Amino acid sequence: MSLLKPGNRVLFIGDSITDAGRDRSNPDDLGGGYPSVVAATYAAGIHAADGVRFLNRGISGNRIRDLRARWQANCLDLAPDVVSIMIGINDTWRRYDSDDETPVNAFERDYRAILQGTVDSSSGALVLVEPFLLPVRDGQESWREDLDPKIAVVRQLAADYSATLVSLDTLITQAAATRDPAKLAHDGVHPTPEGHVFIARTWLAATTT
């Protein structure tokens, strides 16, 4: 059964992967990434008349602490029917490029806080998208030590809050095994156009079937 219903307002929120160069002066701009692909794909065919509205509030560079700080204004105040969250890779990346670690317990604390706030405000159904990594650069494989526990937190929170889990890390890793990973994420983190299409299809498969 589809999570999306006619007339729903669907919010995508997260970091640069969601932001995808959106025009922040235009509240309806979806950027050039997977949110735009989801919206275009969903509006085609049998869903053309559903009137589902998609919003993007991704901000490049965000970590879970940043999401928590702006949750009221950028999520709850918009009263979405569906909230899709993809966050976590910067919480790992900053440990390795800036020696600024987000401990896994802090990641869980802040993530749980935004989910609980959403549930308490009855702001909508939850979709949690796993952060992912496709090591294409020297040293990125070691990031797994930090990222994998955070992915485990996302999976547990999805279970705790009866959220729809998009198993992106698992699925994109499987897809990368049959092609050059850089064709999906040129630097291991930021999706290529092909990567954004893959994320969009994965998201739709989890939420509309």
Side-chain angles (χ1 to χ4, degrees):
M1 179 179 293
S2 178
L3 186 69
L4 279 58
K5 308 300 181 188
N8 273 180
R9 179 180 296 193
V10 180
L11 173 67
F12 293 102
I13 191 163
D15 52 34
S16 59
I17 298 170
T18 301
D19 184 332
R22 69 182 176 90
D23 178 359
R24 297 181 197 169
S25 68
N26 177 2
D28 293 319
D29 187 67
L30 293 174
Y34 77 91
S36 179
V37 179
V38 167
T41 304
Y42 188 81
I46 63 172
H47 298 296
D50 279 5
V52 173
R53 181 186 178 194
F54 294 91
L55 300 172
N56 185 346
R57 294 298 182 271
I59 294 182
S60 181
N62 264 196
R63 290 188 268 183
I64 189 63
R65 69 185 71 166
D66 304 303
L67 220 56
R68 184 177 183 181
R70 64 186 180 91
W71 199 248
Q72 184 66 47
N74 284 182
C75 178
L76 302 185
D77 288 353
L78 299 175
D81 300 291
V82 178
V83 181
S84 178
I85 306 166
M86 184 178 179
I87 199 73
I89 189 58
N90 289 320
D91 293 273
T92 287
W93 199 345
R94 295 295 84 81
R95 172 180 175 179
Y96 296 96
D97 72 354
S98 304
D99 195 26
D100 185 4
E101 180 181 3
T102 302
V104 68
N105 61 332
F107 181 80
E108 180 176 1
R109 177 199 65 213
D110 288 343
Y111 210 138
R112 189 176 293 275
I114 65 175
L115 297 180
Q116 190 62 51
T118 307
V119 169
D120 290 345
S121 68
S122 301
S123 282
L126 295 165
V127 179
L128 307 190
V129 185
E130 295 175 352
F132 75 91
L133 174 68
L134 297 177
V136 299
R137 294 180 175 179
D138 290 344
Q140 280 185 323
E141 189 61 50
S142 66
W143 294 14
R144 279 287 171 188
E145 177 186 5
D146 187 276
L147 183 62
D148 285 352
K150 292 179 171 67
I151 293 173
V153 165
V154 174
R155 292 170 180 168
Q156 184 60 55
L157 290 173
D160 291 349
Y161 285 89
S162 300
T164 297
L165 177 68
V166 180
S167 301
L168 180 59
D169 184 66
T170 298
L171 295 172
I172 202 168
T173 297
Q174 291 172 353
T178 62
R179 70 194 85 179
D180 178 1
K183 291 184 177 180
L184 292 170
H186 64 88
D187 61 357
V189 171
H190 295 98
T192 61
E194 182 179 345
H196 277 291
V197 169
F198 183 89
I199 296 171
R201 288 175 176 169
T202 303
W203 192 94
L204 284 164
T207 59
T208 63
T209 57

